Amino acid sequence: MEQVADQLGTATEIARALHGLCANPTPAMIRGYAHRGHMVNRGHDKTGRPLYRVGDVLDLLIEKIAG
């Protein structure tokens, strides 16, 4: 997980990669976290979609589970 934490991906890519791991995130859930200011995008891909850090998403999912 440490190696993956600093990887960047779109909301869809991260949701697919983390599916089944914890809380089954959806792309909409990830975009919602960013929209509400819980995390920031770290750039954009070639098509202009925002990129997020996998570790940021994992941290938020862990917080949600720990509740």
Side-chain angles (χ1 to χ4, degrees):
M1 283 298 180
E2 287 180 29
Q3 293 174 347
V4 176
D6 284 328
Q7 297 296 311
L8 299 178
T10 65
T12 300
E13 292 167 340
I14 294 173
R16 283 185 188 147
L18 298 181
H19 182 75
L21 255 170
C22 56
N24 292 324
T26 65
M29 181 187 297
I30 294 169
R31 287 188 291 272
Y33 287 143
H35 178 76
R36 291 188 299 280
H38 296 290
M39 63 181 194
V40 297
N41 72 49
R42 306 292 181 134
H44 294 86
D45 69 4
K46 294 181 219 175
T47 63
R49 294 177 296 185
L51 296 172
Y52 304 102
R53 184 177 167 271
V54 173
D56 293 343
V57 176
L58 280 170
D59 289 346
L60 289 167
L61 293 173
I62 290 167
E63 280 180 32
K64 180 181 177 183
I65 291 169

